[in-house]
Amino acid sequence: GINVKLGKFVTLEGIEVIESPLNPTITRGYLFALAEPFTHVGFLLSRPLPVEGLELRAGLVNGWDVLSDNNDGKTVIGGLGINYGDLATGGLSIYYGPEQAGNGKNDRTSVDLTLFTKPLTKLTIGLQGNWGKEEGISGETDSWSGIGIQPVYQLTDKFGQSKLIF
């Protein structure tokens, strides 16, 4: 009943994906490039909850987009996976830990809610909300937030149209 990811794996956050041919956008959005990690090295455990369609996730990683740890701290990741088919799939994720090279004291926090819904046979809508903060960048605690709306209409079996709105 417990799934294990060990090694390098992609982030739990966001609408967009690393592989360009599979990405629903023509260009990259700000949330993908600036507000969320791409990959992690570490482990992630997930387990279905007694409530059908929900999954609990927890893990420990070296940080955001680093193969080996660049400071003396680890990043804790966790969240809740959601799978209710066409109604809603996605998840809520929380990341917390030091991310600055050579500095294990200043922590970064990221909270991301990403959901996909399919209200019509050929229409999928991706929704994302991201909030984060980090200590020690400007001498204060800096924060960011953003939202993404990603409609994808499948015109034919091989061609879809999409647009990202912030």
Side-chain angles (χ1 to χ4, degrees), residues 102-124:
N103 181 344
K105 293 182 174 44
N106 293 339
D107 291 317
R108 181 183 299 167
T109 303
S110 178
V111 179
D112 185 271
L113 177 62
T114 300
L115 294 173
F116 295 91
T117 186
K118 193 167 185 163
L120 303 171
T121 304
K122 293 187 173 195
L123 177 65
T124 302

Side-chain angles (χ1 to χ4, degrees), residues 63-127:
W64 291 32
D65 305 320
V66 294
L67 189 57
S68 58
D69 210 339
N70 61 3
N71 56 46
D72 59 358
K74 298 290 183 194
T75 295
V76 176
I77 62 176
L80 184 67
I82 302 163
N83 187 352
Y84 290 108
D86 288 349
L87 177 63
T89 60
L92 172 68
S93 64
I94 301 169
Y95 289 43
Y96 179 78
E99 298 299 333
Q100 298 166 17
N103 181 344
K105 293 182 174 44
N106 293 339
D107 291 317
R108 181 183 299 167
T109 303
S110 178
V111 179
D112 185 271
L113 177 62
T114 300
L115 294 173
F116 295 91
T117 186
K118 193 167 185 163
L120 303 171
T121 304
K122 293 187 173 195
L123 177 65
T124 302
I125 300 172
L127 304 166

